[in-house]
Amino acid sequence: MYRYDAIDRSLVAERVAQFRDQTRRHLAGELSEDDFRPLRLQNGLYVQRHSPMLRIAIPYGLLSSAQLRKLARIARVYDRGYGHFTTRQNLQYNWPRLAQAPEILAELAEVGMHAIQTSGNCIRNITTDHFAGVAPDEHVDPRALAEILRQWSTFHPEFAYLPRKFKIALSGAATDRAATLLHDIGLYALKNAEGELGLRVIVGGGMGRTPIIGHVVREFLPWRDMLTYLEAILRVYNRHGRRDNLYKSRIKILVKALGVDAFRAQVEAEWEHLRGTESTLTDGELARVSAHFAPPSYEPPGDEDQALAFQLAADRAFERWFRRNVHPHRQPGYRAVTLSLKKTGVPPGDVTADQMDLVADLADRHSFGELRVSHEQNLILADVRERDLLALWRRAREAGLATPNVGLLTNIVCCPGGDFCALANAKSIPVAEAIQRRFDDLDYLHDIGELDLNISGCMNSCGHHHIGHIGILGVDKNGSEWYQVSIGGEQGINAALGEVIGPSFAAAEMPGVVEGLVEAYLAHRTGDERFVDTVHRIGIAPFKARVYGEKREAAHA
Amino acid sequence: MPRHVIRHGQVIGDIWQVLVPREGESPATAALPEGPLAVSLDVWKARREELLARSSPVGVRLEPADDPAQIAGDLPRLALVAVNFPKLADGRGYSTGYLLRRRYGYRGELRAVGDVLRDQLFYLARSGFDAFQLREGADAHAALPSLRDFSEAYQSAGDARAPHFRRRAAPAGAAS
Ligand code: SF4
């Protein structure tokens, strides 16, 4: 992974000093809350329901074991012994104290971490594929470009006070695990017929109040032009994006208002001034950064394939976990492993300090001391020897990190919602838990097969409900909490937005509603069709009939 | 009390007057005070010749929505371009600074005015501003260290520093 050099270290240290002074002035009454707000937000510090919330950046989801141990320590010393992984591959602490935030940032700086630009109207943490560099379906490893983007966007002076937050995702595999179609800018790395590396540039996608699939603004941008082209897009947005209405200020609204062709023309006109200038990337720079992501020293494959087959045959639980939580790897004899943070009864994405320490140990022992955070709020050990899987599974299971549910209904993606977030319309964690409890029969769960269920506590869509096969959105009706349900959303290369099935439900109804949707699916599925495929094939009517038909009967009973 | 500005890293007295027509006042007829004078874009467009004929320095004050291209041809004759930040969070002026310096080659005083505080100075300076008139009541002397909040920068911006990857010891590869 990327290791800090002198400039990275000095910038992060200077940021800590800067924020320490800003916090001091704020607490001394020299810097008003209004003036302090944009500064603290650009250091990841929100004010939430109970206390500030601090969001730590995990650039493109990559962590070392030493960094994870530091996160565990901070959870113990400054928080309540746990943290929460978000859908943007970051980590949030829910209970830090404002006065201690500079201390926390200083501790993070010791291991090359920070909270820079994890909030505020600036370029946020770059996200990418959590299987980058190991996925067999990958044609370009996006990590070096992601790191180049991290550096470029960090403290970019011109783009720190944009109309609104700005999210960039990067992917280079056949399966788009970074949702490039649903970001302010999505970059999809590919090679052209001549074998040259380039990027498909997608602009104006996003969830939130106005969910939109992004538009392709350029089909093939040579990689050397990545920064100049992004600068052109950001400058057009910074100058012309709306600032009068919070809900219309994302770039997707600008693209929509201008029309994609006019938007593209503006970007290209701006870019004409920039192409070939000093921000044009060099082979040397790509090589320098790529060297940080060189493959680890894999051992040559041995005879563990047979041992693994034997182990799988001997233990049903291990086999079940293997099937769901272990993923193919391009290196023979190796696998990628998901450690599930979706155990029933634990808020999705939450992890205790002890679990963090354990995962750090597992990473050291089995995965070259590194791990990743997935946007589905799980942890990934990307380079595990097949012969280590059984031992790894046993230790993960003891720690509650081996729920065999990746890709299944109980692997719920869920925002913190009304329990923590000041913006929420409704709670999301208890709804997730109630649904998990209803589907606690593993055989049934596995029979249902792949199903993404996403919950957001409000229109900000942090739980990505629009792209859940089943999406649940907290809504406010006259001061009480209700849930709107959509189906048919999908992530990836064929990203689709879910369709709302009808009037919203009370919290207590939600497990029954999901059950009804699943039963309708089971009644209609053919072959090994997934839930979402069935929805796309037969439409939402049969699902609606099932859910609302029952509801009416219940009401009349 | 004389107003102060920060210019080239020092606090100095401000010699400039600003003319922005009031509600109902016509840019074509508003009185032009004596001495160094910066005017809004509409006054500049209406009175350009008259202003250039004066013996004292002239400048233009741009609002966030003003396109700096409109004064690009006049820049060599302007001693001051002020960019107004009516609200701290309105970042359009950063792009204005970039364009004036890098695209239109402006070399004179580029001043950030309005809702400007010390915590914005570093980014403003990197966007090409060399002068800052802080919000009324803010302490300009106390703000000076903020200009040095960071010793380095990764990317190129309005201040024309080359991106860091081009300043590394052994430059490998060339621009395409
Ligand atoms: S979706 Fe809404 S409730 Fe949930 S974390 Fe985001 S802002 Fe808060």
Side-chain angles (χ1 to χ4, degrees):
Chain A
M1 66 187 283
Y2 182 76
R3 311 256 167 223
Y4 272 22
D5 64 11
I7 171 179
D8 301 308
R9 274 192 294 274
S10 67
L11 283 174
V12 169
E14 286 163 354
R15 176 61 147 204
V16 172
Q18 182 195 43
F19 189 61
R20 198 188 288 282
D21 183 56
Q22 290 165 343
T23 306
R24 180 195 61 73
R25 281 187 274 131
H26 174 62
L27 293 173
E30 297 164 27
L31 190 59
S32 73
E33 173 52 28
D34 276 352
D35 295 334
F36 184 53
R37 187 181 308 113
L39 308 176
R40 68 165 161 75
L41 287 177
Q42 303 223 2
N43 285 287
L45 204 61
Y46 279 83
V47 172
Q48 313 201 100
R49 246 161 227 218
H50 310 288
S51 81
M53 178 271 277
L54 182 62
R55 185 181 291 151
I56 312 300
I58 302 176
Y60 37 93
L62 227 54
L63 274 174
S64 70
S65 55
Q67 291 175 326
L68 187 59
R69 287 196 185 91
K70 177 61 90 175
L71 293 174
R73 178 189 140 77
I74 291 171
R76 280 194 194 94
V77 175
Y78 301 96
D79 205 286
R80 297 189 179 174
Y82 70 99
H84 171 78
F85 285 105
T86 75
T87 52
R88 292 206 41 85
Q89 303 179 303
N90 288 318
L91 178 99
Q92 292 178 184
Y93 293 114
N94 281 319
W95 308 95
R97 298 220 314 272
L98 171 59
Q100 288 186 324
E103 260 338 289
I104 298 175
L105 297 184
E107 290 224 18
L108 287 170
E110 291 169 17
V111 291
M113 295 187 80
H114 55 76
I116 293 162
Q117 291 168 215
T118 55
S119 182
N121 294 336
C122 51
I123 304 172
R124 302 286 191 88
N125 189 28
I126 312 295
T127 52
T128 192
D129 186 345
H130 49 263
F131 292 136
V134 304
D137 70 339
E138 180 176 273
H139 39 268
V140 177
D141 180 348
R143 291 173 299 174
L145 291 176
E147 171 59 26
I148 288 171
L149 279 177
R150 177 194 76 79
Q151 299 190 11
W152 171 77
S153 60
T154 298
F155 306 146
H156 198 301
E158 190 181 338
F159 306 131
Y161 295 94
L162 295 168
R164 199 83 173 85
K165 58 189 169 186
F166 203 91
K167 300 177 179 179
I168 303 175
L170 193 59
S171 166
T175 302
D176 176 8
R177 284 171 289 261
T180 55
L181 290 167
L182 289 155
H183 280 75
D184 295 291
I185 295 180
L187 299 172
Y188 185 78
L190 66 173
K191 294 207 164 132
N192 66 8
E194 287 73 48
E196 295 156 345
L197 171 60
L199 299 159
R200 179 183 298 146
V201 182
I202 303 153
V203 182
M207 296 188 247
R209 190 170 295 259
T210 318
I212 300 180
I213 303 282
H215 306 272
V216 176
V217 165
R218 206 161 227 275
E219 193 53 53
F220 188 86
L221 178 76
W223 66 272
R224 289 184 190 81
D225 298 322
M226 175 174 77
L227 300 184
T228 52
Y229 203 81
L230 259 55
E231 183 176 330
I233 295 173
L234 266 296
R235 183 162 301 125
V236 168
Y237 171 57
N238 190 41
R239 296 185 66 206
H240 304 298
R242 283 183 65 171
R243 292 174 184 268
D244 59 329
N245 182 336
L246 191 66
Y247 300 121
K248 298 195 187 306
S249 51
R250 296 289 288 269
I251 195 172
K252 61 190 172 188
I253 305 292
L254 178 66
V255 175
K256 204 170 136 186
L258 291 172
V260 66
D261 291 327
F263 174 79
R264 179 187 298 116
Q266 286 198 21
V267 169
E268 296 272 332
E270 176 63 31
W271 188 49
E272 272 312 308
H273 296 285
L274 303 173
R275 70 191 295 181
T277 57
E278 79 279 11
S279 294
T280 305
L281 287 165
T282 59
D283 293 350
E285 175 64 357
L286 183 63
R288 182 186 75 82
V289 179
S290 296
H292 288 272
F293 301 99
S297 39
Y298 293 121
E299 290 169 33
D303 53 5
E304 48 276 300
D305 280 357
Q306 282 161 23
L308 180 62
F310 178 76
Q311 291 161 350
L312 290 170
D315 192 328
R316 175 104 199 280
F318 176 57
E319 193 270 341
R320 186 134 52 191
W321 176 79
F322 178 85
R323 212 158 10 109
R324 295 310 330 176
N325 295 28
V326 176
H327 317 280
H329 198 290
R330 64 166 66 146
Q331 182 72 17
Y334 282 81
R335 300 281 179 155
V337 169
T338 297
L339 299 172
S340 168
L341 303 181
K342 305 298 176 67
K343 189 176 146 98
T344 299
V346 177
D350 273 17
V351 58
T352 67
D354 290 348
Q355 285 175 322
M356 289 190 235
D357 280 338
L358 177 93
V359 173
D361 288 347
L362 292 177
D364 280 339
R365 185 174 302 218
H366 299 299
S367 199
F368 301 95
E370 293 180 12
L371 65 145
R372 291 109 182 268
V373 183
S374 79
H375 73 274
E376 293 179 336
Q377 306 171 287
N378 290 314
L379 298 176
I380 313 274
L381 297 180
D383 297 291
V384 181
R385 285 220 67 155
E386 286 182 349
R387 66 155 175 257
D388 293 347
L389 287 171
L390 185 61
L392 170 64
W393 171 68
R394 288 195 174 123
R395 288 194 64 194
R397 192 170 58 157
E398 276 167 29
L401 297 168
T403 312
N405 62 352
V406 174
L408 301 181
L409 190 154
T410 57
N411 182 35
I412 297 175
V413 172
C414 176
C415 79
D419 291 296
F420 296 99
C421 178
L423 304 171
N425 286 326
K427 292 191 182 67
S428 50
I429 294 169
V431 172
E433 186 181 338
I435 294 168
Q436 284 173 329
R437 291 204 187 285
R438 183 68 62 98
F439 289 88
D440 67 347
D441 179 337
L442 274 179
D443 289 317
Y444 185 47
L445 192 62
H446 283 249
D447 178 46
I448 297 165
E450 272 185 44
L451 202 162
D452 294 346
L453 197 154
N454 295 52
I455 308 179
S456 302
C458 78
M459 259 307 177
N460 285 315
S461 315
C462 303
H464 299 175
H465 65 278
H466 296 295
I467 54 166
H469 300 170
I470 298 177
I472 299 174
L473 166 67
V475 290
D476 174 280
K477 271 204 227 161
N478 307 323
S480 61
E481 302 188 352
W482 291 80
Y483 298 88
Q484 190 183 69
V485 175
S486 55
I487 58 174
E490 188 169 11
Q491 51 178 334
I493 219 104
N494 300 312
L497 302 168
E499 197 180 336
V500 176
I501 62 169
S504 43
F505 304 94
E509 295 177 284
M510 285 312 301
V513 170
V514 174
E515 203 164 44
L517 292 171
V518 167
E519 284 166 7
Y521 155 63
L522 294 176
H524 287 95
R525 87 166 152 195
T526 57
D528 48 10
E529 194 175 53
R530 299 173 307 158
F531 175 91
V532 66
D533 301 325
T534 306
V535 176
H536 290 159
R537 180 171 56 81
I538 66 176
I540 69 170
F543 294 89
K544 236 171 134 156
R546 180 68 171 233
V547 170
Y548 291 100
E550 266 172 16
K551 192 174 153 140
R552 219 170 299 122
E553 279 160 37
H556 289 270
Chain B
M1 196 182 81
R3 266 200 331 241
H4 287 101
V5 290
I6 298 171
R7 175 108 205 264
H8 294 155
Q10 291 188 318
V11 180
I12 57 170
D14 184 17
I15 57 164
W16 287 87
Q17 302 193 61
V18 177
L19 173 66
V20 177
R22 280 185 289 272
E23 280 279 310
E25 198 176 9
S26 160
T29 56
L32 303 178
E34 290 300 308
L37 178 67
V39 300
S40 58
L41 185 60
D42 52 358
V43 172
W44 177 253
K45 287 202 275 197
R47 319 272 288 273
R48 185 174 170 279
E49 304 307 326
E50 185 184 347
L51 284 158
L52 286 174
R54 287 157 53 111
S55 57
S56 50
V58 288
V60 170
R61 190 178 103 145
L62 298 176
E63 297 300 318
D66 291 343
D67 186 351
Q70 300 215 25
I71 55 167
D74 293 327
L75 289 172
R77 293 142 123 179
L78 297 177
L80 172 76
V81 177
V83 177
N84 188 28
F85 291 79
K87 276 194 303 202
L88 183 148
D90 185 339
R92 284 176 287 183
Y94 293 86
S95 287
T96 307
Y98 171 90
L99 290 170
L100 285 167
R101 288 289 191 219
R102 303 293 304 276
R103 184 136 324 147
Y104 306 125
Y106 178 58
R107 311 282 280 273
E109 177 174 345
L110 181 56
R111 183 189 286 195
V113 306
D115 200 15
V116 174
L117 290 176
R118 60 184 278 186
D119 298 296
Q120 280 73 49
L121 294 192
F122 182 82
Y123 284 174
L124 285 168
R126 286 226 59 217
S127 297
F129 291 89
D130 61 354
F132 314 91
Q133 188 173 321
L134 300 186
R135 182 202 287 168
E136 194 78 36
D139 181 343
H141 287 279
L144 290 178
S146 299
L147 283 165
R148 295 186 302 275
D149 273 351
F150 298 97
S151 55
E152 254 301 352
Y154 290 119
Q155 65 292 94
S156 89
D159 61 357
R161 198 159 15 163
H164 189 259
F165 70 83
R166 287 194 182 268
R167 291 183 280 117
R168 284 179 181 277
S176 58

